[in-house]
Amino acid sequence: VLFKADFGQQEPRIGAGVSGDKDLLYDLEHGDVYCRVASRVYGRPITKADREERQTGKRNFMAWLNGSEGHQFKDAAPWLTEREAKDIAQWIGQQYPTFQAFRRQTIADLRTNGYVRTAFGRRRYLPGIYSPLAADQKAAAREAIIVPIQGTAADVLKIWLGRLAPQLPPGAHIILIVHDEVVLEVPIEHMDSIPEIC
């Protein structure tokens, strides 16, 4: 049997944790952030039942979380004008001011140190921040925003896999890892134990 395990809303949760944004953490625990963003995009209430619309909200939220700008929001929802896309990005930022402050501090730290860290202390050096070219500086700043989130997500996955593998029953194997999802091949007789192990 193929079994897929993933981390629910891993990157938004890490973003809330590393930034200390209690509003974002509250919204993740007590609602659906993606539906909230989708409701803003479509101008009407969106629920989990509206799967395609929620996916649009997710793409927009993740674009914001990873430091994207207006044109990348248009990729997530092509019918938006440039102005509407920027409005969505600004609106999300206004909902989570602590994360916005964390983002600014992360870029300031990069300018001071030349690197940023994951939550586990792993460093990522981004020398482009010292480039004389504004485009290089902008790219390094955008990358700096991503590292504490995606880098921490990668660290968590490595730790989890190290703990998961020894617990797998005989004949079970990890066969594929895609972002925050792990696909296992499991003998059917051991299938009942896998959800608890994962």
Side-chain angles (χ1 to χ4, degrees):
V1 175
L2 291 179
F3 181 86
K4 183 184 79 168
D6 66 25
F7 292 91
Q9 298 183 324
Q10 183 190 28
E11 289 184 10
R13 290 178 189 281
I14 288 171
V18 297
S19 67
D21 194 314
K22 293 181 180 177
D23 294 323
L24 178 53
L25 187 59
Y26 181 88
D27 285 352
L28 287 163
E29 295 295 329
H30 297 92
D32 190 310
V33 173
Y34 303 150
C35 287
R36 192 170 177 214
V37 174
S39 295
R40 178 75 179 193
V41 171
Y42 289 96
R44 60 180 170 81
I46 300 295
T47 69
K48 284 187 178 181
D50 304 309
R51 296 175 65 92
E52 190 172 323
E53 291 89 344
R54 181 181 181 273
Q55 190 64 27
T56 299
K58 177 179 180 179
R59 287 194 300 267
N60 276 275
F61 182 84
M62 294 305 294
W64 169 81
L65 189 73
N66 290 312
S68 296
E69 297 178 5
H71 67 279
Q72 282 136 330
F73 279 74
K74 278 187 63 62
D75 292 343
W79 63 89
L80 296 176
T81 66
E82 197 75 35
R83 184 173 182 173
E84 289 169 334
K86 286 181 179 177
D87 174 67
I88 296 296
Q90 289 174 352
W91 178 82
I92 298 171
Q94 289 165 0
Q95 307 309 301
Y96 308 113
T98 304
F99 188 88
Q100 290 288 80
F102 167 77
R103 183 177 282 174
R104 289 189 295 272
Q105 185 60 52
T106 299
I107 295 169
D109 291 345
L110 173 63
R111 288 195 177 102
T112 300
N113 303 319
Y115 63 82
V116 290
R117 296 176 187 258
T118 71
F120 293 90
R122 187 163 52 90
R123 293 181 183 183
R124 174 78 188 276
Y125 287 87
L126 298 166
I129 198 67
Y130 302 125
S131 170
L133 301 176
D136 290 346
Q137 292 179 29
K138 198 171 184 180
R142 193 165 50 249
E143 188 72 17
I145 293 166
I146 295 170
V147 169
I149 299 169
Q150 290 186 357
T152 298
D155 292 345
V156 168
L157 185 62
K158 289 175 192 173
I159 292 167
W160 179 61
L161 289 173
R163 294 177 181 172
L164 172 66
Q167 296 182 59
L168 293 176
H173 307 282
I174 298 168
I175 60 171
L176 185 64
I177 301 166
V178 182
H179 301 298
D180 64 347
E181 297 180 349
V182 176
V183 180
L184 302 102
E185 186 177 49
V186 183
I188 197 163
E189 63 270 21
H190 295 301
M191 194 55 226
D192 290 345
S193 67
I194 293 297
E196 188 175 337
I197 291 171
C198 290

mmCIF file of all heavy atoms in Angstrom, residues 17-56:
data_model
loop_
_atom_site.group_PDB
_atom_site.id
_atom_site.type_symbol
_atom_site.label_atom_id
_atom_site.label_comp_id
_atom_site.label_asym_id
_atom_site.label_seq_id
_atom_site.Cartn_x
_atom_site.Cartn_y
_atom_site.Cartn_z
ATOM 1 N N GLY A 17 5.749 30.803 14.063
ATOM 2 C CA GLY A 17 6.631 30.481 15.183
ATOM 3 C C GLY A 17 7.903 31.296 15.200
ATOM 4 O O GLY A 17 8.255 31.882 16.231
ATOM 5 N N VAL A 18 8.595 31.392 14.056
ATOM 6 C CA VAL A 18 9.877 32.101 14.041
ATOM 7 C C VAL A 18 9.691 33.602 14.195
ATOM 8 O O VAL A 18 10.567 34.297 14.714
ATOM 9 C CB VAL A 18 10.720 31.789 12.779
ATOM 10 C CG1 VAL A 18 11.090 30.320 12.724
ATOM 11 C CG2 VAL A 18 10.021 32.238 11.505
ATOM 12 N N SER A 19 8.545 34.118 13.763
ATOM 13 C CA SER A 19 8.311 35.561 13.855
ATOM 14 C C SER A 19 7.651 35.955 15.171
ATOM 15 O O SER A 19 7.668 37.130 15.541
ATOM 16 C CB SER A 19 7.422 36.030 12.696
ATOM 17 O OG SER A 19 6.113 35.491 12.804
ATOM 18 N N GLY A 20 7.055 34.974 15.861
ATOM 19 C CA GLY A 20 6.309 35.283 17.079
ATOM 20 C C GLY A 20 4.999 35.983 16.795
ATOM 21 O O GLY A 20 4.460 36.685 17.663
ATOM 22 N N ASP A 21 4.454 35.812 15.577
ATOM 23 C CA ASP A 21 3.208 36.482 15.205
ATOM 24 C C ASP A 21 2.012 35.719 15.769
ATOM 25 O O ASP A 21 1.579 34.710 15.222
ATOM 26 C CB ASP A 21 3.099 36.604 13.681
ATOM 27 C CG ASP A 21 2.015 37.584 13.264
ATOM 28 O OD1 ASP A 21 0.905 37.524 13.822
ATOM 29 O OD2 ASP A 21 2.287 38.421 12.384
ATOM 30 N N LYS A 22 1.489 36.225 16.884
ATOM 31 C CA LYS A 22 0.383 35.548 17.559
ATOM 32 C C LYS A 22 -0.907 35.609 16.751
ATOM 33 O O LYS A 22 -1.748 34.713 16.855
ATOM 34 C CB LYS A 22 0.180 36.160 18.942
ATOM 35 C CG LYS A 22 1.348 35.883 19.884
ATOM 36 C CD LYS A 22 1.127 36.482 21.251
ATOM 37 C CE LYS A 22 2.334 36.184 22.153
ATOM 38 N NZ LYS A 22 2.201 36.817 23.472
ATOM 39 N N ASP A 23 -1.089 36.666 15.968
ATOM 40 C CA ASP A 23 -2.293 36.765 15.133
ATOM 41 C C ASP A 23 -2.300 35.670 14.069
ATOM 42 O O ASP A 23 -3.326 35.031 13.838
ATOM 43 C CB ASP A 23 -2.367 38.136 14.454
ATOM 44 C CG ASP A 23 -2.555 39.271 15.449
ATOM 45 O OD1 ASP A 23 -3.277 39.073 16.438
ATOM 46 O OD2 ASP A 23 -1.957 40.341 15.239
ATOM 47 N N LEU A 24 -1.153 35.463 13.439
ATOM 48 C CA LEU A 24 -1.055 34.413 12.424
ATOM 49 C C LEU A 24 -1.237 33.041 13.059
ATOM 50 O O LEU A 24 -1.974 32.195 12.538
ATOM 51 C CB LEU A 24 0.293 34.493 11.707
ATOM 52 C CG LEU A 24 0.587 33.430 10.636
ATOM 53 C CD1 LEU A 24 -0.530 33.365 9.596
ATOM 54 C CD2 LEU A 24 1.928 33.710 9.964
ATOM 55 N N LEU A 25 -0.610 32.806 14.200
ATOM 56 C CA LEU A 25 -0.749 31.523 14.878
ATOM 57 C C LEU A 25 -2.201 31.281 15.275
ATOM 58 O O LEU A 25 -2.735 30.181 15.087
ATOM 59 C CB LEU A 25 0.156 31.471 16.111
ATOM 60 C CG LEU A 25 0.230 30.121 16.819
ATOM 61 C CD1 LEU A 25 0.734 29.035 15.875
ATOM 62 C CD2 LEU A 25 1.126 30.206 18.045
ATOM 63 N N TYR A 26 -2.860 32.314 15.786
ATOM 64 C CA TYR A 26 -4.271 32.182 16.182
ATOM 65 C C TYR A 26 -5.123 31.807 14.967
ATOM 66 O O TYR A 26 -5.969 30.910 15.046
ATOM 67 C CB TYR A 26 -4.770 33.483 16.795
ATOM 68 C CG TYR A 26 -6.211 33.409 17.246
ATOM 69 C CD1 TYR A 26 -6.534 32.961 18.533
ATOM 70 C CD2 TYR A 26 -7.261 33.745 16.382
ATOM 71 C CE1 TYR A 26 -7.862 32.862 18.936
ATOM 72 C CE2 TYR A 26 -8.582 33.646 16.779
ATOM 73 C CZ TYR A 26 -8.876 33.206 18.060
ATOM 74 O OH TYR A 26 -10.183 33.097 18.454
ATOM 75 N N ASP A 27 -4.903 32.515 13.850
ATOM 76 C CA ASP A 27 -5.700 32.233 12.657
ATOM 77 C C ASP A 27 -5.453 30.822 12.131
ATOM 78 O O ASP A 27 -6.372 30.177 11.622
ATOM 79 C CB ASP A 27 -5.395 33.255 11.566
ATOM 80 C CG ASP A 27 -6.024 34.611 11.849
ATOM 81 O OD1 ASP A 27 -6.824 34.722 12.798
ATOM 82 O OD2 ASP A 27 -5.700 35.570 11.128
ATOM 83 N N LEU A 28 -4.231 30.332 12.259
ATOM 84 C CA LEU A 28 -3.931 28.966 11.825
ATOM 85 C C LEU A 28 -4.611 27.936 12.719
ATOM 86 O O LEU A 28 -5.051 26.889 12.251
ATOM 87 C CB LEU A 28 -2.419 28.733 11.815
ATOM 88 C CG LEU A 28 -1.664 29.424 10.674
ATOM 89 C CD1 LEU A 28 -0.180 29.491 10.983
ATOM 90 C CD2 LEU A 28 -1.904 28.696 9.363
ATOM 91 N N GLU A 29 -4.690 28.233 14.005
ATOM 92 C CA GLU A 29 -5.282 27.289 14.960
ATOM 93 C C GLU A 29 -6.806 27.348 14.983
ATOM 94 O O GLU A 29 -7.463 26.377 15.336
ATOM 95 C CB GLU A 29 -4.745 27.563 16.372
ATOM 96 C CG GLU A 29 -3.252 27.304 16.527
ATOM 97 C CD GLU A 29 -2.889 25.843 16.353
ATOM 98 O OE1 GLU A 29 -3.710 24.970 16.694
ATOM 99 O OE2 GLU A 29 -1.781 25.563 15.849
ATOM 100 N N HIS A 30 -7.386 28.495 14.622
ATOM 101 C CA HIS A 30 -8.835 28.684 14.804
ATOM 102 C C HIS A 30 -9.595 28.973 13.515
ATOM 103 O O HIS A 30 -10.733 29.424 13.558
ATOM 104 C CB HIS A 30 -9.079 29.825 15.796
ATOM 105 C CG HIS A 30 -8.556 29.549 17.155
ATOM 106 N ND1 HIS A 30 -7.283 29.917 17.554
ATOM 107 C CD2 HIS A 30 -9.106 28.904 18.210
ATOM 108 C CE1 HIS A 30 -7.081 29.529 18.801
ATOM 109 N NE2 HIS A 30 -8.160 28.914 19.222
ATOM 110 N N GLY A 31 -8.980 28.743 12.394
ATOM 111 C CA GLY A 31 -9.684 29.008 11.144
ATOM 112 C C GLY A 31 -8.883 28.492 9.976
ATOM 113 O O GLY A 31 -8.042 27.620 10.126
ATOM 114 N N ASP A 32 -9.139 29.055 8.838
ATOM 115 C CA ASP A 32 -8.437 28.660 7.626
ATOM 116 C C ASP A 32 -7.902 29.923 6.967
ATOM 117 O O ASP A 32 -8.649 30.697 6.376
ATOM 118 C CB ASP A 32 -9.379 27.913 6.685
ATOM 119 C CG ASP A 32 -8.641 27.274 5.523
ATOM 120 O OD1 ASP A 32 -7.849 27.985 4.870
ATOM 121 O OD2 ASP A 32 -8.854 26.082 5.256
ATOM 122 N N VAL A 33 -6.605 30.138 7.101
ATOM 123 C CA VAL A 33 -5.964 31.336 6.556
ATOM 124 C C VAL A 33 -6.169 31.412 5.049
ATOM 125 O O VAL A 33 -6.414 32.491 4.498
ATOM 126 C CB VAL A 33 -4.454 31.341 6.890
ATOM 127 C CG1 VAL A 33 -3.736 32.479 6.185
ATOM 128 C CG2 VAL A 33 -4.256 31.456 8.390
ATOM 129 N N TYR A 34 -6.077 30.267 4.367
ATOM 130 C CA TYR A 34 -6.195 30.269 2.915
ATOM 131 C C TYR A 34 -7.593 30.711 2.474
ATOM 132 O O TYR A 34 -7.741 31.450 1.497
ATOM 133 C CB TYR A 34 -5.889 28.890 2.343
ATOM 134 C CG TYR A 34 -4.522 28.361 2.714
ATOM 135 C CD1 TYR A 34 -4.292 26.996 2.845
ATOM 136 C CD2 TYR A 34 -3.450 29.220 2.936
ATOM 137 C CE1 TYR A 34 -3.038 26.499 3.172
ATOM 138 C CE2 TYR A 34 -2.192 28.736 3.264
ATOM 139 C CZ TYR A 34 -1.997 27.375 3.392
ATOM 140 O OH TYR A 34 -0.750 26.885 3.719
ATOM 141 N N CYS A 35 -8.623 30.275 3.195
ATOM 142 C CA CYS A 35 -9.988 30.701 2.869
ATOM 143 C C CYS A 35 -10.159 32.195 3.120
ATOM 144 O O CYS A 35 -10.844 32.891 2.363
ATOM 145 C CB CYS A 35 -11.005 29.918 3.701
ATOM 146 S SG CYS A 35 -11.209 28.201 3.176
ATOM 147 N N ARG A 36 -9.524 32.680 4.169
ATOM 148 C CA ARG A 36 -9.616 34.106 4.489
ATOM 149 C C ARG A 36 -9.026 34.949 3.359
ATOM 150 O O ARG A 36 -9.607 35.949 2.936
ATOM 151 C CB ARG A 36 -8.870 34.367 5.800
ATOM 152 C CG ARG A 36 -9.128 35.707 6.387
ATOM 153 C CD ARG A 36 -8.555 35.804 7.789
ATOM 154 N NE ARG A 36 -8.768 37.141 8.282
ATOM 155 C CZ ARG A 36 -7.950 37.774 9.080
ATOM 156 N NH1 ARG A 36 -6.853 37.192 9.495
ATOM 157 N NH2 ARG A 36 -8.213 38.995 9.491
ATOM 158 N N VAL A 37 -7.866 34.541 2.861
ATOM 159 C CA VAL A 37 -7.230 35.259 1.748
ATOM 160 C C VAL A 37 -8.076 35.117 0.489
ATOM 161 O O VAL A 37 -8.296 36.087 -0.243
ATOM 162 C CB VAL A 37 -5.793 34.760 1.516
ATOM 163 C CG1 VAL A 37 -5.191 35.395 0.262
ATOM 164 C CG2 VAL A 37 -4.915 35.049 2.729
ATOM 165 N N ALA A 38 -8.586 33.916 0.232
ATOM 166 C CA ALA A 38 -9.423 33.693 -0.953
ATOM 167 C C ALA A 38 -10.668 34.572 -0.905
ATOM 168 O O ALA A 38 -11.101 35.104 -1.938
ATOM 169 C CB ALA A 38 -9.807 32.223 -1.060
ATOM 170 N N SER A 39 -11.238 34.746 0.273
ATOM 171 C CA SER A 39 -12.418 35.604 0.413
ATOM 172 C C SER A 39 -12.090 37.033 0.004
ATOM 173 O O SER A 39 -12.905 37.725 -0.623
ATOM 174 C CB SER A 39 -12.936 35.571 1.852
ATOM 175 O OG SER A 39 -13.391 34.272 2.178
ATOM 176 N N ARG A 40 -10.871 37.475 0.334
ATOM 177 C CA ARG A 40 -10.440 38.816 -0.063
ATOM 178 C C ARG A 40 -10.229 38.885 -1.575
ATOM 179 O O ARG A 40 -10.626 39.862 -2.225
ATOM 180 C CB ARG A 40 -9.133 39.162 0.676
ATOM 181 C CG ARG A 40 -8.559 40.507 0.323
ATOM 182 C CD ARG A 40 -9.326 41.639 0.959
ATOM 183 N NE ARG A 40 -8.739 42.930 0.613
ATOM 184 C CZ ARG A 40 -9.025 44.066 1.200
ATOM 185 N NH1 ARG A 40 -9.904 44.091 2.190
ATOM 186 N NH2 ARG A 40 -8.455 45.189 0.830
ATOM 187 N N VAL A 41 -9.649 37.838 -2.145
ATOM 188 C CA VAL A 41 -9.391 37.814 -3.590
ATOM 189 C C VAL A 41 -10.706 37.844 -4.373
ATOM 190 O O VAL A 41 -10.852 38.606 -5.333
ATOM 191 C CB VAL A 41 -8.570 36.571 -3.990
ATOM 192 C CG1 VAL A 41 -8.489 36.429 -5.509
ATOM 193 C CG2 VAL A 41 -7.167 36.629 -3.390
ATOM 194 N N TYR A 42 -11.674 37.019 -3.954
ATOM 195 C CA TYR A 42 -12.918 36.882 -4.709
ATOM 196 C C TYR A 42 -14.007 37.865 -4.287
ATOM 197 O O TYR A 42 -15.027 38.000 -4.964
ATOM 198 C CB TYR A 42 -13.456 35.452 -4.583
ATOM 199 C CG TYR A 42 -12.640 34.437 -5.341
ATOM 200 C CD1 TYR A 42 -11.652 33.696 -4.700
ATOM 201 C CD2 TYR A 42 -12.840 34.219 -6.702
ATOM 202 C CE1 TYR A 42 -10.885 32.761 -5.390
ATOM 203 C CE2 TYR A 42 -12.079 33.299 -7.397
ATOM 204 C CZ TYR A 42 -11.109 32.572 -6.735
ATOM 205 O OH TYR A 42 -10.366 31.652 -7.432
ATOM 206 N N GLY A 43 -13.824 38.512 -3.144
ATOM 207 C CA GLY A 43 -14.827 39.470 -2.683
ATOM 208 C C GLY A 43 -16.094 38.836 -2.161
ATOM 209 O O GLY A 43 -17.162 39.452 -2.155
ATOM 210 N N ARG A 44 -16.003 37.592 -1.724
ATOM 211 C CA ARG A 44 -17.152 36.879 -1.144
ATOM 212 C C ARG A 44 -16.635 35.791 -0.219
ATOM 213 O O ARG A 44 -15.470 35.393 -0.323
ATOM 214 C CB ARG A 44 -18.028 36.267 -2.242
ATOM 215 C CG ARG A 44 -17.320 35.258 -3.119
ATOM 216 C CD ARG A 44 -18.233 34.684 -4.192
ATOM 217 N NE ARG A 44 -17.512 33.900 -5.174
ATOM 218 C CZ ARG A 44 -17.128 32.644 -5.016
ATOM 219 N NH1 ARG A 44 -17.409 31.996 -3.886
ATOM 220 N NH2 ARG A 44 -16.470 32.008 -5.965
ATOM 221 N N PRO A 45 -17.469 35.285 0.698
ATOM 222 C CA PRO A 45 -17.001 34.241 1.622
ATOM 223 C C PRO A 45 -16.594 32.962 0.887
ATOM 224 O O PRO A 45 -17.287 32.516 -0.027
ATOM 225 C CB PRO A 45 -18.226 33.978 2.515
ATOM 226 C CG PRO A 45 -19.062 35.204 2.387
ATOM 227 C CD PRO A 45 -18.831 35.725 0.991
ATOM 228 N N ILE A 46 -15.453 32.407 1.288
ATOM 229 C CA ILE A 46 -14.939 31.158 0.715
ATOM 230 C C ILE A 46 -14.764 30.163 1.855
ATOM 231 O O ILE A 46 -14.255 30.509 2.922
ATOM 232 C CB ILE A 46 -13.576 31.383 0.017
ATOM 233 C CG1 ILE A 46 -13.688 32.407 -1.115
ATOM 234 C CG2 ILE A 46 -12.996 30.068 -0.496
ATOM 235 C CD1 ILE A 46 -14.557 31.997 -2.276
ATOM 236 N N THR A 47 -15.210 28.925 1.633
ATOM 237 C CA THR A 47 -15.042 27.875 2.634
ATOM 238 C C THR A 47 -14.155 26.777 2.059
ATOM 239 O O THR A 47 -13.803 26.793 0.876
ATOM 240 C CB THR A 47 -16.397 27.265 3.034
ATOM 241 O OG1 THR A 47 -16.918 26.532 1.920
ATOM 242 C CG2 THR A 47 -17.405 28.345 3.447
ATOM 243 N N LYS A 48 -13.825 25.799 2.913
ATOM 244 C CA LYS A 48 -12.997 24.672 2.454
ATOM 245 C C LYS A 48 -13.676 23.904 1.330
ATOM 246 O O LYS A 48 -13.023 23.238 0.535
ATOM 247 C CB LYS A 48 -12.694 23.724 3.615
ATOM 248 C CG LYS A 48 -11.639 24.251 4.569
ATOM 249 C CD LYS A 48 -11.251 23.203 5.588
ATOM 250 C CE LYS A 48 -10.167 23.732 6.509
ATOM 251 N NZ LYS A 48 -9.737 22.740 7.499
ATOM 252 N N ALA A 49 -14.993 23.978 1.266
ATOM 253 C CA ALA A 49 -15.730 23.278 0.223
ATOM 254 C C ALA A 49 -15.438 23.865 -1.154
ATOM 255 O O ALA A 49 -15.545 23.177 -2.168
ATOM 256 C CB ALA A 49 -17.228 23.324 0.502
ATOM 257 N N ASP A 50 -15.048 25.153 -1.181
ATOM 258 C CA ASP A 50 -14.711 25.807 -2.444
ATOM 259 C C ASP A 50 -13.246 25.530 -2.746
ATOM 260 O O ASP A 50 -12.374 26.389 -2.597
ATOM 261 C CB ASP A 50 -14.960 27.317 -2.348
ATOM 262 C CG ASP A 50 -16.387 27.654 -1.934
ATOM 263 O OD1 ASP A 50 -17.312 27.124 -2.554
ATOM 264 O OD2 ASP A 50 -16.554 28.436 -0.985
ATOM 265 N N ARG A 51 -12.944 24.325 -3.197
ATOM 266 C CA ARG A 51 -11.560 23.851 -3.269
ATOM 267 C C ARG A 51 -10.682 24.677 -4.209
ATOM 268 O O ARG A 51 -9.561 25.037 -3.867
ATOM 269 C CB ARG A 51 -11.543 22.375 -3.683
ATOM 270 C CG ARG A 51 -12.192 21.453 -2.669
ATOM 271 C CD ARG A 51 -12.250 20.026 -3.178
ATOM 272 N NE ARG A 51 -10.928 19.465 -3.340
ATOM 273 C CZ ARG A 51 -10.292 18.773 -2.405
ATOM 274 N NH1 ARG A 51 -10.861 18.583 -1.238
ATOM 275 N NH2 ARG A 51 -9.103 18.271 -2.630
ATOM 276 N N GLU A 52 -11.190 24.990 -5.382
ATOM 277 C CA GLU A 52 -10.377 25.732 -6.352
ATOM 278 C C GLU A 52 -10.103 27.153 -5.851
ATOM 279 O O GLU A 52 -8.976 27.651 -5.957
ATOM 280 C CB GLU A 52 -11.083 25.765 -7.700
ATOM 281 C CG GLU A 52 -10.214 26.300 -8.816
ATOM 282 C CD GLU A 52 -10.857 26.149 -10.181
ATOM 283 O OE1 GLU A 52 -11.531 25.124 -10.424
ATOM 284 O OE2 GLU A 52 -10.680 27.068 -10.996
ATOM 285 N N GLU A 53 -11.124 27.784 -5.291
ATOM 286 C CA GLU A 53 -10.952 29.138 -4.760
ATOM 287 C C GLU A 53 -10.003 29.145 -3.572
ATOM 288 O O GLU A 53 -9.161 30.038 -3.438
ATOM 289 C CB GLU A 53 -12.308 29.733 -4.359
ATOM 290 C CG GLU A 53 -13.221 30.039 -5.521
ATOM 291 C CD GLU A 53 -14.105 28.851 -5.907
ATOM 292 O OE1 GLU A 53 -13.818 27.708 -5.482
ATOM 293 O OE2 GLU A 53 -15.074 29.082 -6.660
ATOM 294 N N ARG A 54 -10.127 28.131 -2.711
ATOM 295 C CA ARG A 54 -9.218 28.045 -1.554
ATOM 296 C C ARG A 54 -7.780 27.876 -2.024
ATOM 297 O O ARG A 54 -6.854 28.441 -1.443
ATOM 298 C CB ARG A 54 -9.614 26.869 -0.656
ATOM 299 C CG ARG A 54 -8.735 26.733 0.586
ATOM 300 C CD ARG A 54 -9.170 25.534 1.437
ATOM 301 N NE ARG A 54 -8.346 25.424 2.633
ATOM 302 C CZ ARG A 54 -7.188 24.763 2.694
ATOM 303 N NH1 ARG A 54 -6.707 24.147 1.613
ATOM 304 N NH2 ARG A 54 -6.503 24.706 3.822
ATOM 305 N N GLN A 55 -7.583 27.095 -3.086
ATOM 306 C CA GLN A 55 -6.234 26.892 -3.633
ATOM 307 C C GLN A 55 -5.649 28.215 -4.114
ATOM 308 O O GLN A 55 -4.453 28.480 -3.953
ATOM 309 C CB GLN A 55 -6.283 25.868 -4.771
ATOM 310 C CG GLN A 55 -4.932 25.399 -5.253
ATOM 311 C CD GLN A 55 -4.141 24.643 -4.197
ATOM 312 O OE1 GLN A 55 -4.706 24.032 -3.306
ATOM 313 N NE2 GLN A 55 -2.835 24.695 -4.285
ATOM 314 N N THR A 56 -6.489 29.065 -4.690
ATOM 315 C CA THR A 56 -6.033 30.399 -5.097
ATOM 316 C C THR A 56 -5.606 31.196 -3.869
ATOM 317 O O THR A 56 -4.573 31.868 -3.882
ATOM 318 C CB THR A 56 -7.150 31.149 -5.854
ATOM 319 O OG1 THR A 56 -7.481 30.420 -7.029
ATOM 320 C CG2 THR A 56 -6.719 32.558 -6.224
#
